[in-house]
Amino acid sequence: MDTPPTIPGLAVDTPSRLTWPDKLLSKNNTDVCRRTDEPDQPRVFTWTIPAWVVQLTSGKFFNTCPQAGICGGPLCYAVAPGSSFRRFPNVLAAHVRNLELVLEKPEEWERRMRQELRGLRYRDPNVWVRIHDAGDFFSDSYVLAWLRIARSVPHVRFYCYTKSISRFLRLVEPDRPANFLWCASLGGREDHLVDREHMRHADVFPTVEALEAAGYSDQSASDLLSVLGDRRVGIPANRGTKLVGAASFGDLQRERDERRQAKNARARKRAALTAA
């Protein structure tokens, strides 16, 4: 896509460079994925790309979150004013580089990812790989590449969140590798495909109290609870996500969908009256 982003500022003004970093995966040092000195504690490494609509070094714009709904824009933690994307241009530049490697050299990117994951540190049974802490699975070919990678290194455990529900139900679930775990993420345009009673999914709430009141299990202690804990995963909003009241991403998306459906129904009714 080549339309300007709704939220300005996510642009890279350096020339395009597809030089390969020493390591494609980085250590995840967030509070819920922090590496500790205890040998039996999980260690999480992350591959990530920019969130939502981003300007590539070519000047074109690309949407890495095609199914984003209410989670896009000001509610997206990755593009909020206090996010690392806004505060540290070098972080965004590195994530843009990752995306451009996938877009421009997909076969080489996949080969190098497989090669890296065969390394000694990924043979530790306590190591996990999180696919994305920003961005999403933006195409069929990108999903299929990750499935091939997972199958090529069965000793490595992968997990991810996604709002590309239909894509995962169509491509992943029919033959999901045992080492590839995923969690549907509410707040997107495909929320209606999520069976909230039986399907593993995550929703973002303003507080822990709000998520518990809604019958969700808090994953604050470890991000891995998104795929190893209860099916109904509650995520307290971080400081950059401004939620008002007790409404969650899923609640806000449902309200938006209902307004859109009502608007479309009125438009159809007017069209029918005009044609009569």
Side-chain angles (χ1 to χ4, degrees):
M1 61 176 296
D2 55 4
T3 55
T6 303
I7 299 296
L10 296 189
V12 176
D13 56 8
T14 54
S16 180
R17 66 194 197 295
L18 290 183
T19 54
W20 296 94
D22 292 337
K23 298 292 183 182
L24 294 177
L25 298 167
S26 59
K27 296 175 184 176
N28 193 317
N29 290 318
T30 60
D31 290 341
V32 292
C33 298
R34 192 177 304 282
R35 178 178 178 177
T36 70
D37 293 330
E38 299 179 33
D40 60 342
Q41 291 300 305
R43 289 184 291 160
V44 178
F45 294 86
T46 301
W47 163 262
T48 199
I49 56 179
W52 204 31
V53 179
V54 64
Q55 187 174 16
L56 304 176
T57 53
S58 66
K60 294 184 177 181
F61 292 91
F62 190 86
N63 188 352
T64 66
C65 303
Q67 299 304 330
I70 201 72
C71 67
L75 290 181
C76 177
Y77 85 95
V79 298
S83 74
S84 59
F85 285 83
R86 292 294 184 90
R87 292 184 291 120
F88 305 110
N90 61 311
V91 173
L92 175 60
H95 293 178
V96 169
R97 178 204 60 206
N98 288 350
L99 175 61
E100 291 182 335
L101 290 174
V102 174
L103 294 176
E104 299 186 28
K105 296 183 177 289
E107 294 180 356
E108 179 69 2
W109 165 77
E110 183 178 336
R111 185 189 71 79
R112 287 177 178 263
M113 185 66 74
R114 292 190 193 200
Q115 182 180 40
E116 181 171 334
L117 288 165
R118 293 189 183 106
L120 184 61
R121 73 175 176 178
Y122 297 106
R123 296 188 178 277
D124 184 335
N126 294 308
V127 163
W128 288 77
V129 172
R130 175 172 172 173
I131 307 173
H132 307 146
D133 54 10
D136 204 346
F137 295 86
F138 52 80
S139 70
D140 284 8
S141 60
Y142 186 50
V143 172
L144 293 172
W146 274 112
L147 294 178
R148 289 192 298 270
I149 290 168
R151 291 189 178 98
S152 73
V153 285
H155 58 281
V156 180
R157 290 180 292 179
F158 300 83
Y159 79 104
C160 59
Y161 299 84
T162 188
K163 290 181 171 64
S164 295
I165 311 302
S166 61
R167 181 168 281 135
F168 267 56
L169 293 177
R170 176 167 49 87
L171 298 177
V172 178
E173 279 307 293
D175 187 24
R176 180 180 61 81
N179 60 333
F180 187 96
L181 305 180
W182 67 284
C183 181
S185 178
L186 296 184
R189 294 160 54 190
E190 295 190 332
D191 279 12
H192 61 283
L193 298 178
V194 178
D195 179 348
R196 302 191 189 194
E197 293 302 318
H198 304 100
M199 185 174 175
R200 178 173 295 279
H201 68 280
D203 200 356
V204 177
F205 292 82
T207 63
V208 172
E209 292 75 17
L211 72 85
E212 291 177 343
Y216 283 72
S217 178
D218 181 17
Q219 59 76 266
S220 298
S222 171
D223 194 49
L224 289 170
L225 291 173
S226 64
V227 291
L228 299 179
D230 294 340
R231 287 194 299 269
R232 292 163 59 87
V233 183
I235 302 175
N238 61 28
R239 287 173 293 182
T241 303
K242 305 299 183 183
L243 288 175
V244 179
S248 68
F249 275 14
D251 296 332
L252 296 173
Q253 186 66 43
R254 185 187 292 113
E255 293 172 5
R256 174 185 284 187
D257 292 343
E258 290 172 351
R259 289 195 300 271
R260 182 178 293 112
Q261 291 167 6
K263 180 179 179 180
N264 291 340
R266 290 193 297 269
R268 288 193 298 269
K269 184 176 181 180
R270 287 194 299 270
L273 291 173
T274 302

